Amino acid sequence: MADTQKSATLTIGDDSYDLPIHSPTAGPDVLDIRKLYGQAGVFTYDPGFTSTASCDSTITYIDGGQGVLLHRGYPIDQLAEKSHYLEVCYLLLYGVLPTAAQLEEFETTITLHTMLHEQMQNFFRGFRRDAHPMAIMVGVVGAMSAFYHDSTDISDEHQREIASHRLIAKMPTIAAWAYKYSIGQPFVYPRNDLDYASNFLRMCFAVPAEDYEVNPILSRAMDRIFTLHADHEQNASTSTVRLASSSGANPFACIAAGIACLWGPAHGGANQACLEMLKEIGSVDRIPEFIARAKDKDDPFRLMGFGHRVYKNFDPRATVMKQSADEVLELLGVENNPVLQVAKELEKQALEDPYFAEKKLFPNVDFYSGIILEAMGFPTSMFTPIFALSRTVGWISQWKEMIADPQNKIGRPRQLYLGETSRDYVDIEHR
Ligand code: SDX
């Protein structure tokens, strides 16, 4: 726990209560209210947890005002430029950058866990072909607890380690097979001679009828997308995983809960919603109409890919993603992609509009990722599964940290009750 040199005094009526203040290594101080209800008989009230720290953590730090994102202290732009996804996975899981020998051992371990139990193919075939891949991922990942019994005991550190490796390794296979099933093509098995991102692209786009060569620029861009989505503090899906895990549920069930939460358009579903919005706008001359709708309080329309609960500056991931978008689209000869033209003009007009400037609404990670994924040939329905694949290491790292935390207890928020006070039952003949 951080150091506690200061305290705050809360006065309610004639009574005063001292609340300890903990100072972090970075970010705002926190007011420790754990004893508040016992001392003062009051709850705090913070729907959406905009001012509430649910835990302490050493994994990821965000400075929303400065547009800073650190993983174990390393800035995301340096990791995106110099590292790669499995090395970032090691960093998130173990807290340090691996030596060459450690990295090789880790990558080999992950590679040897990429296959799924053959019977799990039956789960895919139980879905309609037009099932959303996120529905399949929630189902198949939850079902892993019925197949990998030797890694469900969370009190056993060795089993926690194996479950972590299995989830990181198998998510690309699950996501790729969900895609193949939706287009009626045969499942493509992972290959041990390919790196993580190349394996995923091949499982998605190869067919048995011909050889498939992974384009190194596309696999590098794919790996960068994985890295940029790896972890992000206590976002909604990570908080879901932590809350599910606090009851002692097995890791596969908890990750399935995280996938379900990520699916929402306000969270991980925003990349799909963003591209669908850009296509609905269709041409740059319609942008003012949609910006006006986004500003209209009576219109529920939001600019997908803009705004963030924490970032009130540019999302540093969006900056890196924008560079990748330019590289991929130039490689694919689609830099004149009409969707990208709309995206670039929308970004320009929104950033020049006082409404977005005042409310500090900047493009977030989802604004450009969808454009890259579409250019690579993914349908919009695969955007959020790719986000879930990437974020699995973040969920797992936060899960491991929570289980190892001696303060860990079941999460159980209270409420501000505004319902009826106690009243007697009325027989139906007297109603
Ligand atoms: C992710 O938490 C994370 O870290 C998430 C994530 C991760 O890596 O895990 O970063 C991934 O989820 C990114 C966000 C993807 N979602 C979208 O792009 C959907 C569009 N964005 C909005 O739904 C919204 O910005 C949220 C949900 C992201 C944030 O919602 P908040 O916290 O309510 O936003 P806010 O408090 O900063 O809003 C301030 C004002 C509000 O208006 P007022 O009530 O002050 O009048 O800005 C408005 C909002 O209504 N607003 C928008 C807007 N986003 C906020 N108006 C138009 N378009 C938008 N996109």
Side-chain angles (χ1 to χ4, degrees), residues 116 124 133-134 136-137 140-141 169-182 187 200 203-204 226 378 381-382 384-390:
L116 283 180
F124 293 83
M134 285 297 277
I136 299 175
M137 286 191 96
V140 173
V141 171
K170 296 180 193 304
M171 286 295 270
T173 310
I174 294 168
W177 285 13
Y179 172 57
K180 282 305 203 187
Y181 181 73
S182 72
F187 298 134
F200 176 64
M203 286 192 282
C204 288
F226 293 162
F378 289 103
S381 61
M382 277 299 291
T384 309
I386 289 168
F387 192 152
L389 181 172
S390 313

PDB file of all heavy atoms in Angstrom, residues 116 124 133-134 136-137 140-141 169-182 187 200 203-204 226 378 381-382 384-390:
ATOM      1  N   LEU A 116      -6.798 -25.782 -29.686  1.00  0.00           N
ATOM      2  CA  LEU A 116      -7.971 -25.992 -28.826  1.00  0.00           C
ATOM      3  C   LEU A 116      -8.242 -27.490 -28.722  1.00  0.00           C
ATOM      4  O   LEU A 116      -7.949 -28.250 -29.642  1.00  0.00           O
ATOM      5  CB  LEU A 116      -9.201 -25.324 -29.454  1.00  0.00           C
ATOM      6  CG  LEU A 116      -9.339 -23.806 -29.331  1.00  0.00           C
ATOM      7  CD1 LEU A 116     -10.617 -23.361 -30.023  1.00  0.00           C
ATOM      8  CD2 LEU A 116      -9.348 -23.362 -27.878  1.00  0.00           C
ATOM      9  N   PHE A 124     -18.626 -24.231 -31.657  1.00  0.00           N
ATOM     10  CA  PHE A 124     -18.776 -23.289 -32.768  1.00  0.00           C
ATOM     11  C   PHE A 124     -19.961 -23.719 -33.624  1.00  0.00           C
ATOM     12  O   PHE A 124     -20.801 -22.913 -34.013  1.00  0.00           O
ATOM     13  CB  PHE A 124     -17.494 -23.256 -33.610  1.00  0.00           C
ATOM     14  CG  PHE A 124     -16.303 -22.680 -32.889  1.00  0.00           C
ATOM     15  CD1 PHE A 124     -15.538 -23.465 -32.033  1.00  0.00           C
ATOM     16  CD2 PHE A 124     -15.966 -21.341 -33.050  1.00  0.00           C
ATOM     17  CE1 PHE A 124     -14.449 -22.923 -31.366  1.00  0.00           C
ATOM     18  CE2 PHE A 124     -14.879 -20.792 -32.379  1.00  0.00           C
ATOM     19  CZ  PHE A 124     -14.111 -21.591 -31.548  1.00  0.00           C
ATOM     20  N   PRO A 133     -19.480 -12.935 -33.660  1.00  0.00           N
ATOM     21  CA  PRO A 133     -18.315 -13.633 -33.108  1.00  0.00           C
ATOM     22  C   PRO A 133     -18.104 -13.391 -31.618  1.00  0.00           C
ATOM     23  O   PRO A 133     -17.541 -14.239 -30.921  1.00  0.00           O
ATOM     24  CB  PRO A 133     -17.148 -13.078 -33.930  1.00  0.00           C
ATOM     25  CG  PRO A 133     -17.745 -12.541 -35.178  1.00  0.00           C
ATOM     26  CD  PRO A 133     -19.132 -12.105 -34.825  1.00  0.00           C
ATOM     27  N   MET A 134     -18.583 -12.257 -31.106  1.00  0.00           N
ATOM     28  CA  MET A 134     -18.431 -12.025 -29.661  1.00  0.00           C
ATOM     29  C   MET A 134     -19.315 -12.988 -28.878  1.00  0.00           C
ATOM     30  O   MET A 134     -18.932 -13.453 -27.800  1.00  0.00           O
ATOM     31  CB  MET A 134     -18.783 -10.571 -29.307  1.00  0.00           C
ATOM     32  CG  MET A 134     -17.733  -9.579 -29.707  1.00  0.00           C
ATOM     33  SD  MET A 134     -16.160  -9.852 -28.856  1.00  0.00           S
ATOM     34  CE  MET A 134     -16.490  -9.013 -27.301  1.00  0.00           C
ATOM     35  N   ILE A 136     -19.930 -16.005 -29.764  1.00  0.00           N
ATOM     36  CA  ILE A 136     -19.194 -17.269 -29.809  1.00  0.00           C
ATOM     37  C   ILE A 136     -18.030 -17.223 -28.823  1.00  0.00           C
ATOM     38  O   ILE A 136     -17.792 -18.174 -28.062  1.00  0.00           O
ATOM     39  CB  ILE A 136     -18.698 -17.553 -31.238  1.00  0.00           C
ATOM     40  CG1 ILE A 136     -19.876 -17.681 -32.205  1.00  0.00           C
ATOM     41  CG2 ILE A 136     -17.810 -18.790 -31.282  1.00  0.00           C
ATOM     42  CD1 ILE A 136     -19.508 -17.849 -33.669  1.00  0.00           C
ATOM     43  N   MET A 137     -17.333 -16.088 -28.773  1.00  0.00           N
ATOM     44  CA  MET A 137     -16.161 -15.987 -27.870  1.00  0.00           C
ATOM     45  C   MET A 137     -16.604 -16.105 -26.412  1.00  0.00           C
ATOM     46  O   MET A 137     -15.976 -16.811 -25.624  1.00  0.00           O
ATOM     47  CB  MET A 137     -15.430 -14.668 -28.082  1.00  0.00           C
ATOM     48  CG  MET A 137     -14.635 -14.607 -29.357  1.00  0.00           C
ATOM     49  SD  MET A 137     -13.577 -13.151 -29.370  1.00  0.00           S
ATOM     50  CE  MET A 137     -12.049 -13.866 -28.771  1.00  0.00           C
ATOM     51  N   VAL A 140     -17.446 -19.876 -25.918  1.00  0.00           N
ATOM     52  CA  VAL A 140     -16.327 -20.830 -25.995  1.00  0.00           C
ATOM     53  C   VAL A 140     -15.339 -20.603 -24.857  1.00  0.00           C
ATOM     54  O   VAL A 140     -14.855 -21.550 -24.236  1.00  0.00           O
ATOM     55  CB  VAL A 140     -15.630 -20.723 -27.372  1.00  0.00           C
ATOM     56  CG1 VAL A 140     -14.359 -21.576 -27.409  1.00  0.00           C
ATOM     57  CG2 VAL A 140     -16.580 -21.175 -28.482  1.00  0.00           C
ATOM     58  N   VAL A 141     -15.067 -19.336 -24.530  1.00  0.00           N
ATOM     59  CA  VAL A 141     -14.113 -19.069 -23.434  1.00  0.00           C
ATOM     60  C   VAL A 141     -14.699 -19.551 -22.110  1.00  0.00           C
ATOM     61  O   VAL A 141     -14.024 -20.196 -21.312  1.00  0.00           O
ATOM     62  CB  VAL A 141     -13.739 -17.569 -23.375  1.00  0.00           C
ATOM     63  CG1 VAL A 141     -12.923 -17.261 -22.116  1.00  0.00           C
ATOM     64  CG2 VAL A 141     -12.951 -17.172 -24.615  1.00  0.00           C
ATOM     65  N   ALA A 169      -2.780 -17.801 -25.314  1.00  0.00           N
ATOM     66  CA  ALA A 169      -2.425 -18.588 -26.509  1.00  0.00           C
ATOM     67  C   ALA A 169      -3.642 -18.957 -27.350  1.00  0.00           C
ATOM     68  O   ALA A 169      -3.566 -18.978 -28.588  1.00  0.00           O
ATOM     69  CB  ALA A 169      -1.703 -19.860 -26.079  1.00  0.00           C
ATOM     70  N   LYS A 170      -4.769 -19.219 -26.694  1.00  0.00           N
ATOM     71  CA  LYS A 170      -5.910 -19.780 -27.439  1.00  0.00           C
ATOM     72  C   LYS A 170      -6.882 -18.720 -27.961  1.00  0.00           C
ATOM     73  O   LYS A 170      -7.702 -19.008 -28.832  1.00  0.00           O
ATOM     74  CB  LYS A 170      -6.652 -20.798 -26.574  1.00  0.00           C
ATOM     75  CG  LYS A 170      -5.808 -22.011 -26.217  1.00  0.00           C
ATOM     76  CD  LYS A 170      -6.556 -22.999 -25.363  1.00  0.00           C
ATOM     77  CE  LYS A 170      -5.638 -24.036 -24.739  1.00  0.00           C
ATOM     78  NZ  LYS A 170      -4.814 -24.783 -25.699  1.00  0.00           N
ATOM     79  N   MET A 171      -6.817 -17.504 -27.467  1.00  0.00           N
ATOM     80  CA  MET A 171      -7.764 -16.484 -27.919  1.00  0.00           C
ATOM     81  C   MET A 171      -7.663 -16.229 -29.428  1.00  0.00           C
ATOM     82  O   MET A 171      -8.683 -16.112 -30.100  1.00  0.00           O
ATOM     83  CB  MET A 171      -7.580 -15.177 -27.137  1.00  0.00           C
ATOM     84  CG  MET A 171      -8.120 -15.254 -25.735  1.00  0.00           C
ATOM     85  SD  MET A 171      -9.915 -15.475 -25.688  1.00  0.00           S
ATOM     86  CE  MET A 171     -10.430 -13.762 -25.676  1.00  0.00           C
ATOM     87  N   PRO A 172      -6.454 -16.156 -30.023  1.00  0.00           N
ATOM     88  CA  PRO A 172      -6.399 -15.984 -31.481  1.00  0.00           C
ATOM     89  C   PRO A 172      -7.069 -17.134 -32.235  1.00  0.00           C
ATOM     90  O   PRO A 172      -7.795 -16.924 -33.210  1.00  0.00           O
ATOM     91  CB  PRO A 172      -4.896 -15.929 -31.775  1.00  0.00           C
ATOM     92  CG  PRO A 172      -4.272 -15.458 -30.505  1.00  0.00           C
ATOM     93  CD  PRO A 172      -5.102 -16.068 -29.409  1.00  0.00           C
ATOM     94  N   THR A 173      -6.890 -18.356 -31.746  1.00  0.00           N
ATOM     95  CA  THR A 173      -7.514 -19.510 -32.397  1.00  0.00           C
ATOM     96  C   THR A 173      -9.036 -19.421 -32.289  1.00  0.00           C
ATOM     97  O   THR A 173      -9.751 -19.629 -33.270  1.00  0.00           O
ATOM     98  CB  THR A 173      -7.012 -20.809 -31.743  1.00  0.00           C
ATOM     99  OG1 THR A 173      -5.577 -20.776 -31.690  1.00  0.00           O
ATOM    100  CG2 THR A 173      -7.468 -22.045 -32.522  1.00  0.00           C
ATOM    101  N   ILE A 174      -9.531 -19.061 -31.115  1.00  0.00           N
ATOM    102  CA  ILE A 174     -10.978 -18.934 -30.901  1.00  0.00           C
ATOM    103  C   ILE A 174     -11.546 -17.828 -31.784  1.00  0.00           C
ATOM    104  O   ILE A 174     -12.562 -18.014 -32.468  1.00  0.00           O
ATOM    105  CB  ILE A 174     -11.286 -18.667 -29.418  1.00  0.00           C
ATOM    106  CG1 ILE A 174     -10.904 -19.885 -28.568  1.00  0.00           C
ATOM    107  CG2 ILE A 174     -12.750 -18.302 -29.209  1.00  0.00           C
ATOM    108  CD1 ILE A 174     -10.897 -19.617 -27.062  1.00  0.00           C
ATOM    109  N   ALA A 175     -10.873 -16.675 -31.815  1.00  0.00           N
ATOM    110  CA  ALA A 175     -11.361 -15.550 -32.626  1.00  0.00           C
ATOM    111  C   ALA A 175     -11.331 -15.910 -34.116  1.00  0.00           C
ATOM    112  O   ALA A 175     -12.310 -15.679 -34.844  1.00  0.00           O
ATOM    113  CB  ALA A 175     -10.507 -14.308 -32.372  1.00  0.00           C
ATOM    114  N   ALA A 176     -10.237 -16.538 -34.560  1.00  0.00           N
ATOM    115  CA  ALA A 176     -10.114 -16.902 -35.985  1.00  0.00           C
ATOM    116  C   ALA A 176     -11.175 -17.929 -36.365  1.00  0.00           C
ATOM    117  O   ALA A 176     -11.805 -17.837 -37.422  1.00  0.00           O
ATOM    118  CB  ALA A 176      -8.717 -17.444 -36.262  1.00  0.00           C
ATOM    119  N   TRP A 177     -11.399 -18.905 -35.493  1.00  0.00           N
ATOM    120  CA  TRP A 177     -12.379 -19.959 -35.808  1.00  0.00           C
ATOM    121  C   TRP A 177     -13.791 -19.386 -35.787  1.00  0.00           C
ATOM    122  O   TRP A 177     -14.655 -19.794 -36.558  1.00  0.00           O
ATOM    123  CB  TRP A 177     -12.223 -21.133 -34.839  1.00  0.00           C
ATOM    124  CG  TRP A 177     -11.008 -21.961 -35.144  1.00  0.00           C
ATOM    125  CD1 TRP A 177      -9.960 -21.637 -35.972  1.00  0.00           C
ATOM    126  CD2 TRP A 177     -10.704 -23.256 -34.631  1.00  0.00           C
ATOM    127  NE1 TRP A 177      -9.020 -22.637 -35.989  1.00  0.00           N
ATOM    128  CE2 TRP A 177      -9.447 -23.651 -35.184  1.00  0.00           C
ATOM    129  CE3 TRP A 177     -11.355 -24.119 -33.753  1.00  0.00           C
ATOM    130  CZ2 TRP A 177      -8.853 -24.869 -34.873  1.00  0.00           C
ATOM    131  CZ3 TRP A 177     -10.744 -25.353 -33.451  1.00  0.00           C
ATOM    132  CH2 TRP A 177      -9.518 -25.714 -34.014  1.00  0.00           C
ATOM    133  N   ALA A 178     -14.050 -18.411 -34.920  1.00  0.00           N
ATOM    134  CA  ALA A 178     -15.377 -17.775 -34.929  1.00  0.00           C
ATOM    135  C   ALA A 178     -15.599 -17.089 -36.273  1.00  0.00           C
ATOM    136  O   ALA A 178     -16.686 -17.156 -36.857  1.00  0.00           O
ATOM    137  CB  ALA A 178     -15.485 -16.761 -33.788  1.00  0.00           C
ATOM    138  N   TYR A 179     -14.542 -16.469 -36.803  1.00  0.00           N
ATOM    139  CA  TYR A 179     -14.636 -15.811 -38.110  1.00  0.00           C
ATOM    140  C   TYR A 179     -14.840 -16.835 -39.220  1.00  0.00           C
ATOM    141  O   TYR A 179     -15.747 -16.711 -40.042  1.00  0.00           O
ATOM    142  CB  TYR A 179     -13.383 -14.984 -38.367  1.00  0.00           C
ATOM    143  CG  TYR A 179     -13.296 -14.429 -39.769  1.00  0.00           C
ATOM    144  CD1 TYR A 179     -14.307 -13.620 -40.293  1.00  0.00           C
ATOM    145  CD2 TYR A 179     -12.214 -14.732 -40.594  1.00  0.00           C
ATOM    146  CE1 TYR A 179     -14.245 -13.121 -41.592  1.00  0.00           C
ATOM    147  CE2 TYR A 179     -12.136 -14.253 -41.892  1.00  0.00           C
ATOM    148  CZ  TYR A 179     -13.163 -13.450 -42.384  1.00  0.00           C
ATOM    149  OH  TYR A 179     -13.095 -12.975 -43.666  1.00  0.00           O
ATOM    150  N   LYS A 180     -13.993 -17.895 -39.201  1.00  0.00           N
ATOM    151  CA  LYS A 180     -14.105 -18.907 -40.262  1.00  0.00           C
ATOM    152  C   LYS A 180     -15.505 -19.520 -40.260  1.00  0.00           C
ATOM    153  O   LYS A 180     -16.118 -19.728 -41.316  1.00  0.00           O
ATOM    154  CB  LYS A 180     -13.066 -20.006 -40.038  1.00  0.00           C
ATOM    155  CG  LYS A 180     -11.642 -19.636 -40.468  1.00  0.00           C
ATOM    156  CD  LYS A 180     -11.565 -19.189 -41.907  1.00  0.00           C
ATOM    157  CE  LYS A 180     -10.181 -19.345 -42.496  1.00  0.00           C
ATOM    158  NZ  LYS A 180     -10.081 -18.764 -43.847  1.00  0.00           N
ATOM    159  N   TYR A 181     -16.024 -19.788 -39.057  1.00  0.00           N
ATOM    160  CA  TYR A 181     -17.352 -20.403 -38.979  1.00  0.00           C
ATOM    161  C   TYR A 181     -18.402 -19.475 -39.580  1.00  0.00           C
ATOM    162  O   TYR A 181     -19.294 -19.890 -40.309  1.00  0.00           O
ATOM    163  CB  TYR A 181     -17.699 -20.722 -37.519  1.00  0.00           C
ATOM    164  CG  TYR A 181     -19.047 -21.381 -37.372  1.00  0.00           C
ATOM    165  CD1 TYR A 181     -19.229 -22.704 -37.763  1.00  0.00           C
ATOM    166  CD2 TYR A 181     -20.146 -20.678 -36.888  1.00  0.00           C
ATOM    167  CE1 TYR A 181     -20.474 -23.313 -37.671  1.00  0.00           C
ATOM    168  CE2 TYR A 181     -21.396 -21.279 -36.789  1.00  0.00           C
ATOM    169  CZ  TYR A 181     -21.546 -22.589 -37.182  1.00  0.00           C
ATOM    170  OH  TYR A 181     -22.779 -23.192 -37.099  1.00  0.00           O
ATOM    171  N   SER A 182     -18.251 -18.155 -39.338  1.00  0.00           N
ATOM    172  CA  SER A 182     -19.272 -17.195 -39.809  1.00  0.00           C
ATOM    173  C   SER A 182     -19.267 -17.081 -41.342  1.00  0.00           C
ATOM    174  O   SER A 182     -20.261 -16.686 -41.945  1.00  0.00           O
ATOM    175  CB  SER A 182     -19.002 -15.818 -39.201  1.00  0.00           C
ATOM    176  OG  SER A 182     -17.853 -15.230 -39.795  1.00  0.00           O
ATOM    177  N   PHE A 187     -11.974 -24.535 -40.463  1.00  0.00           N
ATOM    178  CA  PHE A 187     -11.038 -24.021 -39.458  1.00  0.00           C
ATOM    179  C   PHE A 187      -9.613 -24.256 -39.934  1.00  0.00           C
ATOM    180  O   PHE A 187      -9.308 -25.286 -40.528  1.00  0.00           O
ATOM    181  CB  PHE A 187     -11.255 -24.746 -38.120  1.00  0.00           C
ATOM    182  CG  PHE A 187     -12.627 -24.535 -37.517  1.00  0.00           C
ATOM    183  CD1 PHE A 187     -13.353 -25.589 -37.012  1.00  0.00           C
ATOM    184  CD2 PHE A 187     -13.181 -23.265 -37.468  1.00  0.00           C
ATOM    185  CE1 PHE A 187     -14.612 -25.392 -36.450  1.00  0.00           C
ATOM    186  CE2 PHE A 187     -14.437 -23.054 -36.914  1.00  0.00           C
ATOM    187  CZ  PHE A 187     -15.149 -24.127 -36.404  1.00  0.00           C
ATOM    188  N   PHE A 200      -2.281 -15.631 -36.308  1.00  0.00           N
ATOM    189  CA  PHE A 200      -3.679 -15.194 -36.289  1.00  0.00           C
ATOM    190  C   PHE A 200      -4.155 -14.823 -37.695  1.00  0.00           C
ATOM    191  O   PHE A 200      -5.222 -15.258 -38.137  1.00  0.00           O
ATOM    192  CB  PHE A 200      -3.861 -13.999 -35.348  1.00  0.00           C
ATOM    193  CG  PHE A 200      -5.258 -13.429 -35.356  1.00  0.00           C
ATOM    194  CD1 PHE A 200      -6.330 -14.193 -34.913  1.00  0.00           C
ATOM    195  CD2 PHE A 200      -5.495 -12.154 -35.836  1.00  0.00           C
ATOM    196  CE1 PHE A 200      -7.631 -13.681 -34.933  1.00  0.00           C
ATOM    197  CE2 PHE A 200      -6.783 -11.631 -35.865  1.00  0.00           C
ATOM    198  CZ  PHE A 200      -7.858 -12.405 -35.416  1.00  0.00           C
ATOM    199  N   MET A 203      -4.653 -18.004 -39.702  1.00  0.00           N
ATOM    200  CA  MET A 203      -5.839 -18.759 -39.295  1.00  0.00           C
ATOM    201  C   MET A 203      -7.116 -18.090 -39.791  1.00  0.00           C
ATOM    202  O   MET A 203      -8.123 -18.746 -40.033  1.00  0.00           O
ATOM    203  CB  MET A 203      -5.882 -18.922 -37.771  1.00  0.00           C
ATOM    204  CG  MET A 203      -4.882 -19.918 -37.218  1.00  0.00           C
ATOM    205  SD  MET A 203      -5.212 -20.305 -35.480  1.00  0.00           S
ATOM    206  CE  MET A 203      -4.540 -18.851 -34.684  1.00  0.00           C
ATOM    207  N   CYS A 204      -7.051 -16.758 -39.960  1.00  0.00           N
ATOM    208  CA  CYS A 204      -8.232 -16.025 -40.452  1.00  0.00           C
ATOM    209  C   CYS A 204      -8.361 -16.102 -41.973  1.00  0.00           C
ATOM    210  O   CYS A 204      -9.466 -16.266 -42.492  1.00  0.00           O
ATOM    211  CB  CYS A 204      -8.146 -14.555 -40.036  1.00  0.00           C
ATOM    212  SG  CYS A 204      -8.412 -14.257 -38.295  1.00  0.00           S
ATOM    213  N   PHE A 226      -2.570  -5.363 -31.394  1.00  0.00           N
ATOM    214  CA  PHE A 226      -2.644  -6.163 -30.168  1.00  0.00           C
ATOM    215  C   PHE A 226      -1.994  -5.408 -29.013  1.00  0.00           C
ATOM    216  O   PHE A 226      -2.545  -5.290 -27.920  1.00  0.00           O
ATOM    217  CB  PHE A 226      -1.926  -7.504 -30.366  1.00  0.00           C
ATOM    218  CG  PHE A 226      -2.577  -8.443 -31.339  1.00  0.00           C
ATOM    219  CD1 PHE A 226      -1.835  -9.491 -31.875  1.00  0.00           C
ATOM    220  CD2 PHE A 226      -3.894  -8.307 -31.733  1.00  0.00           C
ATOM    221  CE1 PHE A 226      -2.391 -10.384 -32.776  1.00  0.00           C
ATOM    222  CE2 PHE A 226      -4.476  -9.193 -32.642  1.00  0.00           C
ATOM    223  CZ  PHE A 226      -3.722 -10.228 -33.170  1.00  0.00           C
ATOM    224  N   PHE A 378     -10.949  -7.620 -42.563  1.00  0.00           N
ATOM    225  CA  PHE A 378     -11.839  -8.108 -41.504  1.00  0.00           C
ATOM    226  C   PHE A 378     -13.209  -7.456 -41.634  1.00  0.00           C
ATOM    227  O   PHE A 378     -13.300  -6.255 -41.878  1.00  0.00           O
ATOM    228  CB  PHE A 378     -11.264  -7.784 -40.120  1.00  0.00           C
ATOM    229  CG  PHE A 378     -10.058  -8.596 -39.748  1.00  0.00           C
ATOM    230  CD1 PHE A 378      -8.784  -8.029 -39.807  1.00  0.00           C
ATOM    231  CD2 PHE A 378     -10.181  -9.911 -39.356  1.00  0.00           C
ATOM    232  CE1 PHE A 378      -7.659  -8.765 -39.467  1.00  0.00           C
ATOM    233  CE2 PHE A 378      -9.064 -10.665 -39.006  1.00  0.00           C
ATOM    234  CZ  PHE A 378      -7.809 -10.092 -39.068  1.00  0.00           C
ATOM    235  N   SER A 381     -17.720  -7.059 -37.703  1.00  0.00           N
ATOM    236  CA  SER A 381     -18.090  -7.928 -36.571  1.00  0.00           C
ATOM    237  C   SER A 381     -16.864  -8.543 -35.905  1.00  0.00           C
ATOM    238  O   SER A 381     -16.950  -9.030 -34.779  1.00  0.00           O
ATOM    239  CB  SER A 381     -19.022  -9.047 -37.048  1.00  0.00           C
ATOM    240  OG  SER A 381     -18.356  -9.840 -38.023  1.00  0.00           O
ATOM    241  N   MET A 382     -15.714  -8.509 -36.581  1.00  0.00           N
ATOM    242  CA  MET A 382     -14.493  -9.087 -35.998  1.00  0.00           C
ATOM    243  C   MET A 382     -13.664  -8.051 -35.245  1.00  0.00           C
ATOM    244  O   MET A 382     -12.655  -8.387 -34.611  1.00  0.00           O
ATOM    245  CB  MET A 382     -13.641  -9.729 -37.094  1.00  0.00           C
ATOM    246  CG  MET A 382     -14.072 -11.147 -37.451  1.00  0.00           C
ATOM    247  SD  MET A 382     -13.954 -12.273 -36.026  1.00  0.00           S
ATOM    248  CE  MET A 382     -12.184 -12.350 -35.830  1.00  0.00           C
ATOM    249  N   THR A 384     -14.338  -6.166 -32.499  1.00  0.00           N
ATOM    250  CA  THR A 384     -14.324  -6.292 -31.032  1.00  0.00           C
ATOM    251  C   THR A 384     -13.711  -7.610 -30.581  1.00  0.00           C
ATOM    252  O   THR A 384     -12.979  -7.633 -29.565  1.00  0.00           O
ATOM    253  CB  THR A 384     -15.744  -6.098 -30.470  1.00  0.00           C
ATOM    254  OG1 THR A 384     -16.294  -4.892 -31.007  1.00  0.00           O
ATOM    255  CG2 THR A 384     -15.700  -5.950 -28.952  1.00  0.00           C
ATOM    256  N   PRO A 385     -13.924  -8.731 -31.300  1.00  0.00           N
ATOM    257  CA  PRO A 385     -13.191  -9.953 -30.930  1.00  0.00           C
ATOM    258  C   PRO A 385     -11.682  -9.759 -30.940  1.00  0.00           C
ATOM    259  O   PRO A 385     -10.963 -10.294 -30.105  1.00  0.00           O
ATOM    260  CB  PRO A 385     -13.635 -10.961 -31.999  1.00  0.00           C
ATOM    261  CG  PRO A 385     -15.000 -10.528 -32.371  1.00  0.00           C
ATOM    262  CD  PRO A 385     -14.965  -9.033 -32.301  1.00  0.00           C
ATOM    263  N   ILE A 386     -11.172  -8.945 -31.885  1.00  0.00           N
ATOM    264  CA  ILE A 386      -9.726  -8.669 -31.926  1.00  0.00           C
ATOM    265  C   ILE A 386      -9.327  -7.816 -30.719  1.00  0.00           C
ATOM    266  O   ILE A 386      -8.268  -8.021 -30.107  1.00  0.00           O
ATOM    267  CB  ILE A 386      -9.354  -7.995 -33.260  1.00  0.00           C
ATOM    268  CG1 ILE A 386      -9.453  -9.024 -34.392  1.00  0.00           C
ATOM    269  CG2 ILE A 386      -7.962  -7.377 -33.215  1.00  0.00           C
ATOM    270  CD1 ILE A 386      -9.383  -8.434 -35.788  1.00  0.00           C
ATOM    271  N   PHE A 387     -10.194  -6.901 -30.328  1.00  0.00           N
ATOM    272  CA  PHE A 387      -9.935  -6.121 -29.105  1.00  0.00           C
ATOM    273  C   PHE A 387      -9.907  -7.079 -27.899  1.00  0.00           C
ATOM    274  O   PHE A 387      -8.998  -7.039 -27.066  1.00  0.00           O
ATOM    275  CB  PHE A 387     -11.043  -5.065 -28.931  1.00  0.00           C
ATOM    276  CG  PHE A 387     -10.771  -4.000 -27.895  1.00  0.00           C
ATOM    277  CD1 PHE A 387     -11.329  -2.744 -28.026  1.00  0.00           C
ATOM    278  CD2 PHE A 387     -10.002  -4.250 -26.779  1.00  0.00           C
ATOM    279  CE1 PHE A 387     -11.109  -1.748 -27.074  1.00  0.00           C
ATOM    280  CE2 PHE A 387      -9.770  -3.275 -25.813  1.00  0.00           C
ATOM    281  CZ  PHE A 387     -10.323  -2.023 -25.970  1.00  0.00           C
ATOM    282  N   ALA A 388     -10.856  -8.008 -27.830  1.00  0.00           N
ATOM    283  CA  ALA A 388     -10.914  -8.962 -26.708  1.00  0.00           C
ATOM    284  C   ALA A 388      -9.669  -9.840 -26.684  1.00  0.00           C
ATOM    285  O   ALA A 388      -9.079 -10.078 -25.618  1.00  0.00           O
ATOM    286  CB  ALA A 388     -12.166  -9.828 -26.831  1.00  0.00           C
ATOM    287  N   LEU A 389      -9.247 -10.302 -27.853  1.00  0.00           N
ATOM    288  CA  LEU A 389      -8.015 -11.107 -27.967  1.00  0.00           C
ATOM    289  C   LEU A 389      -6.851 -10.331 -27.366  1.00  0.00           C
ATOM    290  O   LEU A 389      -6.099 -10.831 -26.545  1.00  0.00           O
ATOM    291  CB  LEU A 389      -7.796 -11.376 -29.439  1.00  0.00           C
ATOM    292  CG  LEU A 389      -6.649 -12.186 -29.971  1.00  0.00           C
ATOM    293  CD1 LEU A 389      -6.840 -12.416 -31.480  1.00  0.00           C
ATOM    294  CD2 LEU A 389      -5.286 -11.547 -29.779  1.00  0.00           C
ATOM    295  N   SER A 390      -6.734  -9.057 -27.748  1.00  0.00           N
ATOM    296  CA  SER A 390      -5.607  -8.223 -27.291  1.00  0.00           C
ATOM    297  C   SER A 390      -5.671  -7.970 -25.788  1.00  0.00           C
ATOM    298  O   SER A 390      -4.653  -7.981 -25.103  1.00  0.00           O
ATOM    299  CB  SER A 390      -5.633  -6.878 -28.013  1.00  0.00           C
ATOM    300  OG  SER A 390      -5.826  -7.020 -29.396  1.00  0.00           O
TER     301      SER A 390
END
